[in-house]
Amino acid sequence: MAEHEHVRVAVIGSGFGGLGAAVRLRREGITDFVVLERADSVGGTWRDNSYPGCACDVPSHLYSFSFAPNPDWPRTFSGQEHIRAYLEHVTDVFGLRPHIRFGAEVKLMSWDAERMRWNIETARGPLSADVVVSATGPLSDPKIPEIPGLESFPGKVFHSARWDHDYDLSGKRVAMVGTGASAIQIVPAIQPRVGRLTLFQRTPPWVMPRMDREVSGIERRLHRALPLTTQLRRGVLWGIRELQVQAFTKHPDELGLIERLARRNMARAVKDPALRAKLTPDYRIGCKRILLSSTYYPALARSNVDVVAAGLSEIRGSTVVAADGTETEVDAIIFGTGFHVTDMPIAERVVGAEGITLAEAWKGGMRALRGASAAGFPNWMTIIGPNTGLGNSSMILMIESALNYMADYLRQLAVLDGLGVPPGRQGTGGGRTALDARPAAVEAWNDRVQERMKRTVWNTGGCTSWYLDASGRNTTIWPGTTTEFRRATRRVDLAEYQVLRKTVTKAGTKAGAETGAETGAETGTKTEGKAEERDVVKKDAVKKDVGKKDAVKKDVGKKGTVKAGSETAGTGNSEAAV
């Protein structure tokens, strides 16, 4: 990476969000961008999580980009190796590798108000960018609880997302800590090999059968010959999940039938009443993510597996001690304890216009306008931001909606950058303008989301989950359908943003009522007013310049839900999705 390199856009991360952003940038005609990746290959969470049994719990044909359908998925629910190979394929097909900087972990990024750009310090050196798109994702930094005595444990310790493939578990006494999505895949994968497996379970999950099977050769040939059949399959999978959403968001009591099915699933595999009692949740199904596995319960019923219905509280030498006092000698401890979701470490490395970090700005809870823009952090966007997660469908749908918003954000900046530039030079003065989400708009959007959240199963189901932050506030899940989110992120509403403009003046750098006309070679930075008094830079004229595009109706702060649009987000319609 060249020293002091400057780009129009810097994308952070090369998982689904980062690669999707890169593809969209190229499709928008933007080639002056880089993708900063801390590892040595693409893949994000599907690169980092390579534990035995790792697979997706969303159907393959829905867990892929609509603009890059894969007719050759080998199974209905794909394994980690197939998803990672798919992302490598996307990288090559869309020519993204020249833009990717591997080994470029972001150490710090700070907003330079004078130059109207982000200064970024990476492991490979500094660079700057007009716009930053953060696509680090919520499942990127493993979380290991602080347990007394852990540092002196003489055996092997690792997190599921940092699996040690060189360590042989054969015949070992293993402690598995956690019962989330990773743990229910790891347990049946390692149970036949280990000498003894002890599962430490603070809260049992609801588990439904995973209806996985091989995709037949006939199906794959059909999808290759008739791409419409792939779109149809994707559309059906999407539609079923859209219809399920109301049970999660408005009528949690309707989930009772699903709960009964889950109990029957357990009863078929676990005959011991005492073990069934340990494994039966005491909260409404759906409050935590519903997990899919047809092998988890049978593995727990094996003779070399013990289930401790308590969390791990202390370690004394080789002895692990549960909160209920149960003691077990082990050779290895595997943590399946999740990630830093509501306290993402990247937030500590982002310094905004007011000189505070994003973590400080989000001290009272994460919040962003339409899940993308944080107040006080101009020209900075996030993919899979606050309240954009899903409890029952594919995150790729939400990512593609966020990419729609990113694309329009950049279009608006391009138009604003052209204001005041002589004819023939429009679009060449990148970095003249910045958009900063208005605090009032962020609050109005967040208030509306939280109001809708009150009725959801995630808030009323009687559980404590990783969806909630330290104060018990749900800052991760979207309380609606993917169609509603797509509608809400279809266009950028400039009324929700403060417009900051760099101006050229004869007098040099000045703060005040400069007109912004290009009357000299020296540049200054001008903020069009302060806080609520900031102008939207002749919004009517801007709307005219963008070809009189229909603005997205402002829905934050209004009564009623966000109205669903006419797009069929899951049908794989690339025109609607990208």
Side-chain angles (χ1 to χ4, degrees), residues 106-337:
V106 172
K107 303 296 186 180
L108 180 70
M109 63 179 87
S110 54
W111 176 248
D112 185 333
E114 182 177 352
R115 293 182 174 85
M116 297 285 278
R117 67 186 189 184
W118 285 93
N119 293 325
I120 307 170
E121 296 293 333
T122 81
R124 288 183 54 180
L127 77 155
S128 59
D130 296 332
V131 179
V132 169
V133 177
S134 179
T136 57
L139 306 182
S140 57
D141 292 287
K143 188 173 186 177
I144 294 181
E146 295 183 4
I147 299 175
L150 178 60
E151 68 284 350
S152 59
F153 177 69
K156 192 68 177 179
V157 178
F158 53 87
H159 190 278
S160 60
R162 300 292 184 267
W163 194 271
D164 188 341
H165 291 278
D166 294 328
Y167 184 74
D168 186 6
L169 292 172
S170 300
K172 298 293 195 304
R173 300 167 299 176
V174 179
M176 180 74 225
V177 183
T179 53
S182 298
I184 71 157
Q185 295 177 342
I186 293 171
V187 166
I190 68 173
Q191 175 270 320
R193 290 193 289 130
V194 303
R196 187 142 208 95
L197 178 61
T198 303
L199 177 68
F200 288 85
Q201 169 193 272
R202 286 193 307 173
T203 309
W206 285 107
V207 182
M208 294 288 287
R210 186 166 177 259
M211 310 302 289
D212 185 31
R213 65 173 178 82
E214 183 179 349
V215 178
S216 70
I218 293 176
E219 290 174 279
R220 294 197 296 271
R221 287 193 295 272
L222 179 64
H223 291 332
R224 284 195 298 270
L226 298 173
L228 184 62
T229 60
T230 306
Q231 294 183 13
L232 178 61
R233 185 172 191 161
R234 178 185 176 92
V236 170
L237 292 169
W238 165 78
I240 291 172
R241 282 156 181 76
E242 289 289 274
L243 293 175
Q244 296 171 344
V245 170
Q246 284 206 353
F248 288 85
T249 60
K250 296 180 180 179
H251 309 291
D253 289 343
E254 294 180 0
L255 293 167
L257 173 61
I258 306 300
E259 197 168 294
R260 289 193 291 274
L261 294 175
R263 289 178 185 274
R264 291 177 186 174
N265 178 49
M266 184 195 305
R268 281 194 296 267
V270 181
K271 304 302 181 184
D272 180 3
L275 180 56
R276 278 205 309 272
K278 288 182 180 180
L279 300 176
T280 301
D282 60 359
Y283 55 87
R284 172 63 74 191
I285 193 170
C287 184
K288 289 175 174 281
R289 188 175 181 92
I290 300 173
L291 305 182
L292 303 181
S293 176
S294 298
T295 56
Y296 178 64
Y297 286 143
L300 295 184
R302 299 295 184 185
S303 59
N304 67 332
V305 178
D306 296 313
V307 177
V308 178
L312 182 60
S313 65
E314 185 183 358
I315 298 173
R316 304 172 193 153
S318 297
T319 303
V320 290
V321 184
D324 64 358
T326 302
E327 298 185 5
T328 308
E329 292 282 327
V330 298
D331 303 305
I333 302 174
I334 302 171
F335 286 96
T337 45

Side-chain angles (χ1 to χ4, degrees), residues 47-64:
R47 175 199 60 235
D48 297 340
N49 287 270
S50 60
Y51 57 79
C54 183
C56 189
D57 59 1
V58 175
S60 303
H61 291 86
L62 192 58
Y63 198 79
S64 49

